[in-house]
Amino acid sequence: MNDPAVEQAVRLQLGMAHLVEQTAPAGFAPKVAVGLDVAYAQDSDRLIAAAVCVDMTTLTIVDSAVHEAVADFPYVPGLFAFRELPALLPALAKLTTSPDVLVCDGQGLAHPRGFGLACHIGVETGLPSIGVGKQALGQFEAPGPTRGDWKPLVDNGETVGRALRTQDDVKPVFVSVGHRIDLDTACDLVLKLSPRYRLPETTRAADHLGREALAGRVGVQDVRD
């Protein structure tokens, strides 16, 4: 059965995809990266959106915020932004530190319509953004076994991202442009944010905070350090 909300969301993605900029601002040298993630409650539409600011030099957490919401959009592959953006944007607004780049647990250009969550939130906020996915949306050859090795991620003959090895002999992550950044710069930043583990420290911190808040171990109203 056709869902008008889903059809409208698809049209919106198609209509906004041309707004994505695949170049970084002049002199781009981010000092604070923000990890974004959403934790979902089991057997309900309750969710917690987490935003965590990480210092690019020390990789320490300098600010964080969460926002609790109830998803009002269905679970549809390729349309996760419409479930998560309504909570992620308020979480970002609660931060007291100004972010320089957003690191999303999801896709950017590596998306059926070239407009994944990282693109959508980048265009909405005007901030440079990167998609770092755990799963590939496209085809790729396995990169070499060494940290920093990569291979193109391809969809319909077009390069939409990279399979990037962030640690020796671990599964790659899948990096794609979100907005106002190029692929080389995006991959360099992901490597800087991933000195020890497969996933960037931004993603790990946001995932941890969201789960803690969902479990009630962190007060949703109190998290703003």
Side-chain angles (χ1 to χ4, degrees), residues 136-218:
L137 291 182
Q139 295 76 47
F140 68 99
E141 296 179 6
T146 305
R147 168 180 161 85
D149 288 343
W150 61 270
K151 289 290 185 180
L153 181 64
V154 179
D155 186 35
N156 292 322
E158 179 182 356
T159 296
V160 294
R162 287 179 186 168
L164 176 68
R165 195 86 68 184
T166 54
Q167 300 297 321
D168 293 351
D169 299 314
V170 301
K171 294 179 180 178
V173 296
F174 302 94
V175 181
S176 57
V177 167
H179 183 52
R180 300 188 68 206
I181 203 163
D182 58 89
L183 192 51
D184 284 339
T185 301
C187 288
D188 287 345
L189 289 177
V190 170
L191 286 172
K192 286 180 181 178
L193 290 166
S194 309
R196 295 180 297 274
Y197 300 101
R198 179 193 179 212
L199 296 177
E201 291 301 307
T202 40
T203 300
R204 287 167 46 80
D207 174 79
H208 178 75
L209 177 59
R211 291 175 186 273
E212 291 285 290
L214 196 62
R217 292 189 287 269
V218 174

Side-chain angles (χ1 to χ4, degrees), residues 26-50:
F28 183 60
K31 296 180 179 179
V32 176
V34 177
L36 299 172
D37 195 22
V38 174
Y40 291 90
Q42 280 191 326
D43 303 319
S44 84
D45 287 324
R46 176 174 170 257
L47 59 83
I48 298 285

